[in-house]
Amino acid sequence: MAESLAELQRLYREAEQATEVYNATEEQLKVRRAEAGRLGGELAKARLSLHDSRGAAGRLARQQYQGSTGISPYVRLLLARDPQHALDQGHVIGRLARERADTVGRLVSGERKADALARKARTALDAQLTLAARQKKERDDVRRHLADVEELLASLSAEQLAAVAELEKDGVARAQEKLVASGALGPPGEDREPSAEGAKAVRYAVRQLGKPYEWGAEGPASYDCSGLTSEAWGSAGTAIPRTSEEQWARLRRIPLTELRPGDLVVYFPEAGHVAMYLGGGKVVQAPRTGEKVKISPLASNPVLGAVRPDPGSGSLRRQAPVREPR
């Protein structure tokens, strides 16, 4: 049973790590899709403007051809009966010439802009297609890991599965006792108050209890581990990275002794799993495939460290108004 549990934990860990890689690519793909869409819209506008400029240039060319007499404006001025009238006409002709020059300038500028945008749009689309192909490969990788989990589970009887679950529960209990006894969580019973945003994030996460884990899911019907934490903090008005690896890499790290509700606890050396601290040595998490969002001991997995999404926010206790003593 110990061997089966170790193998299951390894497979679950690999599946979750593959899920987080898939999630990271999905986030990049969202950015690329938005960029390709923006460039496509700008290119369409540029081409419409270019079409109008070409039409205006064509009309000028026809007018110039139809109005051409082959007589120099200077000769017209010398032969005119009313020189002042001829000069006035010259001003008009000059203005028309400038307008024609502007039209030609817009045409040339429009062609250059359209060409540049077309190249950028093509590059963005190529990058999007490359990411989409990579995401498909990563999706297949997740499914392969999950198939390995299912194969191992299918090889165990109901009694063996129960024994494995009990063995895992005992292991988590021992790890939690060891963590608390080490003082890594600070003195017992001295939980810090959350920030206002942290309290909102915790309320959101707790409302999701009982919803199934699903890899790549961001709610509202199901979640994966980082989908739950990112959506919870998003509901509190603080945008954080989508994946556990990015949450560990980009959010401010704090010691476990400073944990307050709403902080995120990150697990495994590769930061492949994340949960939200509730206080009292407990976390709320979307654990893995086949399970539901639940409250667990903080030491339910090997702890890498903790991060705080809102390091600049004081606790609710500190934010509360001070009352004058009676």
Side-chain angles (χ1 to χ4, degrees), residues 48-59 103-104 106-108 110:
L48 181 60
S49 176
L50 182 58
H51 175 76
D52 292 341
S53 295
R54 284 173 175 162
R59 286 192 298 273
T103 299
V104 173
R106 285 195 300 272
L107 176 60
V108 173

Side-chain angles (χ1 to χ4, degrees), residues 207-259:
R207 286 199 300 271
Q208 313 314 310
L209 289 172
K211 293 185 178 180
Y213 176 99
E214 181 183 354
W215 65 272
E218 301 175 81
S222 57
Y223 296 87
D224 65 16
C225 68
S226 57
L228 177 64
T229 54
S230 61
E231 288 297 305
W233 271 100
S235 74
T238 300
I240 66 173
R242 168 63 175 88
T243 69
S244 58
E245 290 182 0
E246 284 296 295
Q247 289 170 9
W248 174 247
R250 293 169 54 188
L251 300 180
R252 179 181 172 184
R253 298 179 188 181
I254 59 169
L256 296 182
T257 53
E258 295 183 11
L259 275 172

